[in-house]
Short mmCIF file of all heavy atoms in Angstrom, two decimals:
data_model
loop_
_atom_site.label_atom_id
_atom_site.label_comp_id
_atom_site.label_asym_id
_atom_site.label_seq_id
_atom_site.Cartn_x
_atom_site.Cartn_y
_atom_site.Cartn_z
N LEU A 64 9.63 -11.62 -22.89
CA LEU A 64 9.86 -10.73 -21.89
C LEU A 64 9.15 -11.22 -20.55
O LEU A 64 9.64 -11.00 -19.42
CB LEU A 64 9.41 -9.33 -22.22
CG LEU A 64 10.21 -8.53 -23.21
CD1 LEU A 64 9.42 -7.33 -23.70
CD2 LEU A 64 11.50 -8.21 -22.56
N THR A 65 8.11 -11.70 -20.63
CA THR A 65 7.31 -12.31 -19.57
C THR A 65 8.10 -13.42 -18.85
O THR A 65 8.24 -13.42 -17.62
CB THR A 65 5.93 -12.83 -19.92
OG1 THR A 65 5.10 -11.81 -20.38
CG2 THR A 65 5.23 -13.51 -18.80
N LEU A 66 8.62 -14.33 -19.64
CA LEU A 66 9.45 -15.31 -19.10
C LEU A 66 10.85 -14.92 -18.49
O LEU A 66 11.20 -15.33 -17.54
CB LEU A 66 9.84 -16.42 -20.16
CG LEU A 66 8.56 -17.18 -20.67
CD1 LEU A 66 8.94 -17.98 -21.90
CD2 LEU A 66 7.96 -18.09 -19.68
N PHE A 67 11.41 -13.90 -19.19
CA PHE A 67 12.62 -13.42 -18.62
C PHE A 67 12.52 -12.69 -17.41
O PHE A 67 13.32 -12.78 -16.45
CB PHE A 67 13.33 -12.47 -19.76
CG PHE A 67 14.67 -11.91 -19.39
CD1 PHE A 67 15.81 -12.76 -19.35
CD2 PHE A 67 14.76 -10.52 -19.08
CE1 PHE A 67 17.00 -12.11 -19.01
CE2 PHE A 67 16.02 -10.06 -18.72
CZ PHE A 67 17.10 -10.77 -18.69
N THR A 68 11.42 -11.84 -17.29
CA THR A 68 11.32 -11.00 -16.10
C THR A 68 10.36 -11.70 -15.05
O THR A 68 10.25 -11.21 -13.90
CB THR A 68 10.69 -9.64 -16.37
OG1 THR A 68 9.40 -9.92 -17.00
CG2 THR A 68 11.51 -8.87 -17.29
N HIS A 69 9.67 -12.79 -15.32
CA HIS A 69 8.72 -13.38 -14.46
C HIS A 69 7.62 -12.48 -14.14
O HIS A 69 7.09 -12.39 -13.01
CB HIS A 69 9.39 -13.95 -13.23
CG HIS A 69 10.28 -15.16 -13.41
ND1 HIS A 69 9.81 -16.41 -13.75
CD2 HIS A 69 11.59 -15.15 -13.74
CE1 HIS A 69 10.85 -17.08 -13.94
NE2 HIS A 69 12.04 -16.37 -13.79
N ASN A 70 7.25 -11.59 -15.03
CA ASN A 70 6.17 -10.59 -14.88
C ASN A 70 5.20 -10.81 -15.85
O ASN A 70 5.29 -10.64 -17.22
CB ASN A 70 6.81 -9.10 -14.98
CG ASN A 70 5.91 -8.04 -14.71
OD1 ASN A 70 4.71 -8.28 -14.55
ND2 ASN A 70 6.32 -6.83 -14.70
N GLU A 71 3.86 -11.11 -15.58
CA GLU A 71 2.77 -11.45 -16.36
C GLU A 71 2.37 -10.27 -17.17
O GLU A 71 1.65 -10.44 -18.26
CB GLU A 71 1.68 -12.11 -15.57
CG GLU A 71 2.06 -13.44 -14.87
CD GLU A 71 0.82 -13.77 -14.07
OE1 GLU A 71 -0.28 -13.26 -14.05
OE2 GLU A 71 1.03 -14.82 -13.21
N ALA A 72 2.63 -9.01 -16.78
CA ALA A 72 2.04 -7.82 -17.34
C ALA A 72 2.48 -7.79 -18.85
O ALA A 72 1.77 -7.27 -19.57
CB ALA A 72 2.52 -6.64 -16.53
N PHE A 73 3.65 -8.21 -19.18
CA PHE A 73 4.17 -8.10 -20.49
C PHE A 73 3.15 -8.81 -21.48
O PHE A 73 2.72 -8.23 -22.57
CB PHE A 73 5.64 -8.55 -20.74
CG PHE A 73 6.66 -7.67 -20.18
CD1 PHE A 73 7.28 -8.04 -19.07
CD2 PHE A 73 6.76 -6.38 -20.73
CE1 PHE A 73 8.18 -7.25 -18.54
CE2 PHE A 73 7.74 -5.68 -20.18
CZ PHE A 73 8.51 -6.07 -19.09
N LEU A 74 2.89 -10.11 -21.28
CA LEU A 74 2.05 -10.78 -22.21
C LEU A 74 0.66 -10.31 -22.07
O LEU A 74 -0.19 -10.33 -23.18
CB LEU A 74 1.99 -12.23 -21.77
CG LEU A 74 1.35 -13.17 -22.82
CD1 LEU A 74 2.15 -13.17 -24.06
CD2 LEU A 74 1.37 -14.59 -22.27
N VAL A 75 0.10 -9.74 -20.95
CA VAL A 75 -1.24 -9.20 -20.81
C VAL A 75 -1.33 -7.96 -21.60
O VAL A 75 -2.45 -7.67 -22.13
CB VAL A 75 -1.48 -8.97 -19.26
CG1 VAL A 75 -2.87 -8.34 -19.14
CG2 VAL A 75 -1.51 -10.28 -18.64
#
Side-chain angles (χ1 to χ4, degrees):
L64 284 172
T65 297
L66 293 172
F67 182 70
T68 62
H69 296 279
N70 185 354
E71 297 176 7
F73 287 110
L74 191 61
V75 174

